[in-house]
Structures are given as structure tokens and as C-alpha cells.
Amino acid sequence: MEKVLITGEVPEHAQKMLESAGLNVDVFTGEKLIEKATLMERSQDASFLITPLSTKIDAEVIDHAPKLKLIANFGAGFNNIDTDYAKNKGIMVTNTPFVSTVSTAEVTVGLIISLSHRIPEGDHLMRTTGFNGWAPLFFLGHELSNKVLGIIGMGQIGQAVAERMKAFGVHILYTQHHRLSKQRENELGAEYVEMDNLIESSDIISLHLPLSDKTHHMIGANEFKHMKKNTILINAARGPIIDEDALLSALLGHEIAGAALDVYEKEPIVADEFKKLKNVILTPHIGNATFEARNAMAEIVASNVVASLQNKEPKYIVNGVQTKA
């Protein structure tokens, strides 16, 4: 009986799918993330590995799992896995794209509204000192109508954000390597611009691109210097896309108006300085934290493991390894 190690608890139906396929299912159930030593010990006899993007699968881990055929990442991203080394070892790596789109887009819109209207700040006020009553100049925020929203990365999630934000009457700019079709731009009400233009023109900037060598610290000191002083920055993509030291300096120096972060450069660590700022919203990487999204992700990883077990081609292979005939 071949073994699959699941390095963190996932929706129950995934485990049932794997057991029904005749697999020995080993699930790590610790309260904290699995430690590397435990991961290596429990994966050494595993043929399949299901792991969340919070668990690092490096060359050392892979070398300690000589039977490994497939690493099924529970997440759309896969920068936690040394995919090139896995490829050299003939190990397939898969991810779970697309199913996070709706949830992440909704969270992004929620962060934009919450930061613009100071909703978490108001909630904190009411739970602490309270207020003296309505007043004309009290606790003012900003409407979204007629603001400029700049979307960096117009993939599935970026487009889903644009679809939802269009209803608020914002003017949408976007930039990415490949321009959308004219028809799609018209549907979204979006205008393609170069990065510099977007940075200088946007009242709201939202990041929706993967982490890579090219996108690491894409938003840093130079970009903050060219943003409007009323700009708010939203990151529900990957933490290291932003140079957080530069972001903190920009916030403290009033170069931008605020930020909402769902992901972090040194996740799960969050710099204490951010926690002290009223114009910053911090959420614990909840972009796709819905029953709907996580159930769909579980379905994908379990189906991919079963497919590999049966010598069929899994979906969403990200490192180019194919099923051996």
C-alpha cells in the first residue's frame, strides 16, 4: 500500500478520496506548522506529498523522500517548493489554480472598502473609548467613486477584482507583461498602462501577481516616492513583492496614505511597527479562506494524487514533469 503524507489538516473529503483509492493516509495534526525534522521523518516512505504553501519543500526534504512521485501543493502559489530540484528528480509538482479567484477577489475588495472608509479603525474606537456622536468633520474617509484603481497583474484574480470594482465607479488602470484583448478591456472598463504611469496615477494600488525573481521587491522605495500621498496599497498576493522596510518608511513619512496586507514578506512574522499604525489593516492570509475555495482545493490535490497513483496525468503540473508510460 503506497503512502501519502498530508503535512497539515485539509477538508475531510480529501482524506476519504485518498483512502477509497487504497492509499495509506498519514496526516500531520499538530497545532503548529510541521517542523522540518518531522516532515523528513514522516515523508521518507511516502510516494505522495500534499502540502500547504506555508510548508517549505526544499532539496533536503526531497532527498529524504526517495519514493516520492508527486508533490501536490495545496495553494495556487508554489514558491515554497524547489520545483527545479523536484524536476531533476522526476517528481511532479502540482498546484490548485483558479479556485481561489472569487474568494481572493472578494477579500481584496473588502480590504479596499475597509481601508478607504476606516472601518476597522472605527470598530476599534467603538470597542475602546467610544465617540461623542455624529459631527460634520468626524472620522472622515474616502469614497471609491471616481478614484483611480491600479491593478498590477491582470490574471484571473486581477480581472475578478476589476469586475467587482467597476461597480463602484472607479477608473481602472492595469499593467502586466501581456496586454488583454480590446474586448476584455472594454468588458472590465480597464485601461492598459506602463508600470510608471500606474504608480504615479493610482489612488488605490492592488497587487495580483506571483512571486518570482522579477517580482521580488517590485514595490520598493522608488515606487513609493512616485505614488500619490493619498494612495493606499493592497497586497493579497505574495508578501515579498513588497519591500516591507520601504513600505514602513513610506507610511511613517506620509508618502502614501495607508496599506492593507493579507500576506507578509517574512510570513507569518509581521513587523511590530505595522501593528501600531492606524492606517494599516493586517489580516492573517485569508485570501482564499472560505469553505468553498478550500473544499475545491482539497478536491484537486486528492484527485491529482489518485491520478498519479493510477499512472494518469494529474492536472496543473507546474514543473514540466510528465507521467511515465
Side-chain angles (χ1 to χ4, degrees):
M1 181 181 290
E2 295 192 72
K3 172 180 169 179
V4 53
L5 172 63
I6 306 177
T7 66
E9 292 183 273
V10 299
E12 187 178 0
H13 74 278
Q15 185 173 339
K16 290 181 178 179
M17 288 174 63
L18 297 167
E19 290 171 345
S20 296
L23 283 158
N24 172 21
V25 182
D26 179 15
V27 183
F28 176 76
T29 57
E31 291 184 4
K32 296 183 179 180
L33 296 177
I34 190 170
E35 294 185 354
K36 188 173 185 178
T38 303
L39 172 61
M40 290 192 295
E41 178 185 351
R42 290 172 67 163
S43 63
Q44 60 185 345
D45 59 345
S47 299
F48 310 99
L49 185 62
I50 294 175
T51 186
L53 53 84
S54 54
T55 299
K56 188 174 180 63
I57 310 297
D58 59 16
E60 186 179 14
V61 171
I62 292 171
D63 282 340
H64 274 75
K67 296 182 179 181
L68 202 57
K69 302 175 185 178
L70 169 71
I71 304 169
N73 215 42
F74 198 100
F78 46 88
N79 52 287
N80 58 309
I81 299 172
D82 190 334
T83 54
D84 291 334
Y85 193 76
K87 183 176 182 178
N88 290 338
K89 291 283 189 174
I91 300 168
M92 287 181 286
V93 178
T94 62
N95 68 338
T96 59
F98 310 122
V99 293
S100 298
T101 298
V102 170
S103 180
T104 306
E106 290 178 353
V107 166
T108 299
V109 173
L111 290 174
I112 291 171
I113 295 170
S114 296
L115 193 56
S116 297
H117 287 272
R118 304 172 64 185
I119 293 172
E121 192 180 344
D123 178 78
H124 178 73
L125 178 71
M126 296 306 296
R127 293 174 187 271
T128 53
T129 60
F131 77 128
N132 295 324
W134 186 95
L137 299 181
F138 175 69
F139 220 80
L140 302 183
H142 289 280
E143 295 180 0
L144 299 177
S145 180
N146 295 317
K147 298 298 188 296
V148 178
L149 167 64
I151 297 177
I152 302 177
M154 198 62 128
Q156 293 287 330
I157 296 174
Q159 291 180 48
V161 170
E163 288 173 338
R164 287 154 177 78
M165 290 301 297
K166 183 181 178 182
F168 288 91
V170 298
H171 177 57
I172 299 171
L173 305 179
Y174 80 96
T175 191
Q176 64 176 2
H177 289 306
H178 304 291
R179 184 171 178 175
L180 300 175
S181 68
K182 271 291 185 185
Q183 179 181 345
R184 187 57 176 150
E185 286 182 347
N186 290 336
E187 290 171 352
L188 297 173
E191 176 187 354
Y192 176 82
V193 295
E194 296 296 331
M195 180 75 163
D196 290 348
N197 189 335
L198 184 145
I199 291 292
E200 294 172 358
S201 304
S202 299
D203 302 299
I204 306 159
I205 296 176
S206 191
L207 307 179
H208 300 285
L209 62 171
L211 179 63
S212 67
D213 291 340
K214 291 182 178 179
T215 63
H216 182 268
H217 282 191
M218 172 183 278
I219 306 298
N222 180 65
E223 286 69 33
F224 290 122
K225 283 184 174 64
H226 289 86
M227 291 180 189
K228 297 179 180 180
K229 291 193 180 297
N230 68 301
T231 296
I232 61 173
L233 177 65
I234 315 295
N235 189 10
R238 290 291 177 265
I241 294 172
I242 297 176
D243 180 342
E244 286 190 358
D245 288 338
L247 171 58
L248 185 60
S249 295
L251 289 164
L252 293 174
H254 305 290
E255 291 181 317
I256 64 172
L261 307 176
D262 186 49
V263 290
Y264 304 91
E265 185 173 356
K266 298 176 182 178
E267 192 167 318
I269 298 170
V270 182
D272 288 337
E273 291 86 346
F274 286 116
K275 300 175 186 178
K276 300 173 185 176
L277 298 177
K278 294 181 179 179
N279 58 340
V280 173
I281 296 176
L282 306 171
T283 52
H285 202 149
I286 58 171
N288 61 21
T290 60
F291 290 103
E292 295 85 356
R294 297 289 169 85
N295 284 335
M297 293 162 73
E299 182 86 18
I300 291 171
V301 294
S303 295
N304 279 344
V305 168
V306 172
S308 181
L309 176 69
Q310 298 173 348
N311 292 317
K312 297 177 182 178
E313 196 80 352
K315 293 181 178 179
Y316 312 125
I317 299 171
V318 299
N319 67 337
V321 178
Q322 302 297 312
T323 300
K324 295 179 182 178

